[in-house]
Amino acid sequence: MSVLSFVQRCAAIAVIATVAVVSAAMAQDAQFFRIGTGGIGDTYYPIGGIIANAISNPPGSRPCDRGGSCGVPGLVVIAQTSDGSVANVEAITSGGIDSGFVQSDVAYWAFTGTGTFAKKKPVNSLRAVANLYPESVHIVVRSKTGIENPNGLKGRRVSLDEKGSGELVNVRLVLRAYGLNERRDIIASYLGSESAALRLAAGKLDAFMTVAGYPVPAVSLALDKADAHILPLTGKPIERLLASQKFFSRDEIPAGLYGNARPIPTVSVNALWVVPESADEELIYQITKALWNDKSRKLLDEGHEKGRRIQLSSALQGVSIPLHPGAWRYYREVDIVE
């Protein structure tokens, strides 16, 4: 080996060693923060990715004022899939994740030990960071079935979303409003929305139900691959639902969103971002502040239809549990709370 080759090889080894040392140092300096979202075919997952990108600012990143990240210095945020709201509450309680997206009704039930958490110990330590956006009930049916309203689901093969999800809790309430029992009146399965969409397209399901912020990728997939449509939710059953379950609100899916000629009436609940009470106050303050900065606003507006609905003006709308002190501190600074 020539002297030059030997020197070049040593230099290459030195560079590799330096990169390894720098990478290790960066990993040591980085603080990781996990957001439990939902299934890949639901809205929680892409929204979680956008928020994770917005509030992350890994060690070595270009400064915000130079076009770099405007997130929390040293923070690396990871959006990970989950079975949804109920599973996220349980994972936060066990320390499996640092935060999660949870429907407002599920958050309230967990906090108070009521509803679907009636047989469990109340999760009094659950705290809110922000309300994000409304989540709408979607009932997608194969057009060949002739089903035009939820009463037509009787005797049909219907997926009600995954067990452990907040969506399952909500669709059960909708079915009950129409006098339907999942064990007696329908042939129920419990699939993630993407799997349900593919089974619907293959003719192995007659319908599936999900609750998510529109546009829902799995719903778009089903409508693209199958002759299918979304059922409107109207009439006395919905009036009874709204009267008995105050966390539901009237909603509608806009015309043209899924190729529909007219708006489709439905109902919705709110999606909250929640953390444990034990989360560091300064960290949650910085995360809340980063969520609402101008660069995050641009990412939310451009990243997803529902991202545009995530607004500081509605950050406390539908919040059914106490705010985390770090989040409350930020909202006090911007005069949203006193």
Side-chain angles (χ1 to χ4, degrees), residues 224-305:
D224 181 58
K225 290 187 172 293
D227 180 13
H229 61 276
I230 301 170
L231 296 183
L233 300 181
T234 58
K236 291 184 178 180
I238 294 303
E239 299 295 336
R240 288 194 293 269
L241 178 69
L242 294 171
S244 63
Q245 309 294 338
K246 299 299 184 181
F247 46 78
F248 275 113
S249 302
R250 295 185 189 277
D251 196 7
E252 66 177 22
I253 296 167
L257 188 71
Y258 295 112
N260 46 303
R262 294 181 296 277
I264 302 171
T266 186
V267 291
S268 63
V269 294
N270 285 315
L272 306 183
W273 187 9
V274 303
V275 295
E277 183 182 22
S278 59
D280 181 74
E281 180 179 333
E282 180 63 23
L283 175 62
I284 300 304
Y285 166 78
Q286 293 294 341
I287 284 174
T288 309
K289 185 176 181 180
L291 174 64
W292 301 117
N293 69 35
D294 291 341
K295 188 159 187 180
S296 296
R297 176 76 269 143
K298 184 178 180 181
L299 291 172
L300 289 167
D301 288 343
E302 295 177 353
H304 193 278
E305 172 72 25

Side-chain angles (χ1 to χ4, degrees), residues 6-35:
F6 177 76
V7 171
Q8 289 173 331
R9 184 178 178 185
C10 289
I13 292 171
V15 169
I16 293 170
T18 301
V19 169
V21 169
V22 171
S23 298
M26 287 177 63
Q28 290 175 354
D29 292 338
Q31 180 176 3
F32 293 90
F33 188 86
R34 298 155 297 176
I35 304 174

Side-chain angles (χ1 to χ4, degrees), residues 15 40 46 50 57 97 130 137 144 171 188 281 309-310 319 327 333:
V15 169
I40 292 175
I50 294 167
N57 189 349
I97 55 176
V137 176
K144 290 181 180 179
V171 301
E281 180 179 333
R309 299 288 296 273
I310 300 174
V319 173
E333 285 184 1

Side-chain angles (χ1 to χ4, degrees), residues 3 56 85 92 111 121 140 158 165 189 255:
V3 173
S56 291
S85 294
I92 289 170
F111 184 79
K121 185 178 180 180
V140 184
V158 186
S165 68
S189 57

Side-chain angles (χ1 to χ4, degrees), residues 79-286:
Q80 59 189 59
T81 60
S82 79
D83 288 337
S85 294
V86 175
N88 286 343
V89 169
E90 292 172 347
I92 289 170
T93 304
S94 68
I97 55 176
D98 302 294
S99 70
F101 297 160
V102 177
Q103 291 171 192
S104 55
D105 53 327
V106 175
Y108 175 78
W109 289 333
F111 184 79
T112 58
T114 57
T116 192
F117 284 81
K119 296 181 179 180
K120 301 178 181 179
K121 185 178 180 180
V123 188
N124 302 129
S125 59
L126 207 60
R127 296 292 183 268
V129 174
N131 166 53
L132 299 176
Y133 57 82
E135 298 186 82
S136 307
V137 176
H138 294 67
I139 306 180
V140 184
V141 302
R142 292 174 63 238
S143 296
K144 290 181 180 179
T145 61
I147 300 171
E148 294 300 331
N149 63 67
N151 295 117
L153 297 174
K154 189 169 185 177
R156 302 289 188 169
R157 301 165 299 172
V158 186
S159 174
L160 307 181
D161 221 294
E162 295 174 298
K163 291 185 177 180
S165 68
E167 290 91 336
L168 177 57
V169 177
N170 291 147
V171 301
R172 281 171 170 162
L173 292 172
V174 172
L175 287 175
R176 191 180 306 164
Y178 282 89
L180 296 174
N181 181 287
E182 69 184 281
R183 294 180 181 177
R184 184 181 64 245
D185 297 322
I186 63 174
I187 304 168
S189 57
Y190 305 91
L191 304 171
S193 56
E194 185 175 18
S195 296
L198 292 172
R199 288 182 68 84
L200 184 100
K204 296 179 180 179
L205 277 179
D206 299 309
F208 74 90
M209 303 175 69
T210 190
V211 185
Y214 54 71
V216 183
V219 172
S220 299
L221 175 66
L223 298 177
D224 181 58
K225 290 187 172 293
D227 180 13
H229 61 276
I230 301 170
L231 296 183
L233 300 181
T234 58
K236 291 184 178 180
I238 294 303
E239 299 295 336
R240 288 194 293 269
L241 178 69
L242 294 171
S244 63
Q245 309 294 338
K246 299 299 184 181
F247 46 78
F248 275 113
S249 302
R250 295 185 189 277
D251 196 7
E252 66 177 22
I253 296 167
L257 188 71
Y258 295 112
N260 46 303
R262 294 181 296 277
I264 302 171
T266 186
V267 291
S268 63
V269 294
N270 285 315
L272 306 183
W273 187 9
V274 303
V275 295
E277 183 182 22
S278 59
D280 181 74
E281 180 179 333
E282 180 63 23
L283 175 62
I284 300 304
Y285 166 78
Q286 293 294 341

